[in-house]
Each structure stands twice: as structure tokens, then as C-alpha cells.
Amino acid sequence: MPKTLKDALQRALDELGKEEFERFKSKLNNLPEVPQGCSRIPKGKLEEANCLVVCDLIVNYCTTGAALQVAINILRGINHNELVSKLETLVYKPS
């Protein structure tokens, strides 16, 4: 069971194939508007970033609630609703 939001995000992003992960990064880089509680992640930081780095960037550039919502919105945007459900379960499941 993941202990932190970062662990849960990493577990969800690990489920993406290479092309899907690139689509996730592209959508993250091109958010139509930056949610409250987030700062825009510089494109240069995302271009060559692997899963671990992307998780760090999301957590570092967003508050906890905003980071989770950004990840969920992007996963929905690339048609990974099953990962959204999994992520929500990992994050919201009581210990």
C-alpha cells in the first residue's frame, strides 16, 4: 500500500506504456489553465523526465490536493479511467 501521494502517483504512472506516459507529460505541460495551488512545470523539466521525476515535479509544483486532481484529470484525458479509480482507491482508502 502506498504511504504517500507520491507513491500512489508513481504506482499509477508505472501502469502507463511509453507512448501513454509521453501523452501524460504532454498534457501536463499543456494544461489549459494551471489549477489553484499549482505552478506551471517548465517544459524543459518534463521533456526527458522519467516516471519518478514526473512524480517529484507534480508534488513539488502543486499542493497535495491540486497534485492529485491534476493527475486524475490528465489520466481521464488520456482515457485511463481505470487508473483514476485505482489512484483514488490508493489515496483515499482508510488505513
Side-chain angles (χ1 to χ4, degrees):
M1 201 73 206
K3 295 183 176 159
T4 65
L5 171 63
K6 189 169 140 183
D7 292 337
L9 287 173
Q10 181 182 343
R11 194 175 274 188
L13 295 182
D14 281 343
E15 295 289 326
L16 299 175
K18 184 176 179 164
E19 186 176 311
E20 295 165 323
F21 181 63
E22 292 301 319
R23 286 178 53 217
F24 182 92
K25 291 193 310 183
S26 176
K27 287 201 174 279
L28 179 59
N29 189 52
N30 294 302
L31 292 173
E33 68 180 56
V34 179
Q36 185 174 357
C38 286
S39 299
R40 188 166 298 280
I41 300 171
K43 184 177 184 173
K45 290 191 179 264
L46 283 171
E47 283 182 337
E48 299 297 321
N50 64 26
C51 178
L52 296 173
V53 173
V54 169
C55 290
D56 282 340
L57 290 170
I58 292 171
V59 169
N60 291 333
Y61 278 82
C62 297
T63 62
T64 301
L68 179 62
Q69 198 55 53
V70 164
I72 285 172
N73 290 344
I74 294 171
L75 288 169
R76 281 191 181 121
I78 62 172
N79 296 317
H80 270 284
N81 294 323
E82 72 283 352
L83 281 180
V84 169
S85 296
K86 198 176 203 180
L87 182 59
E88 290 174 334
T89 300
L90 291 173
V91 173
Y92 295 122
K93 188 172 183 173
S95 304

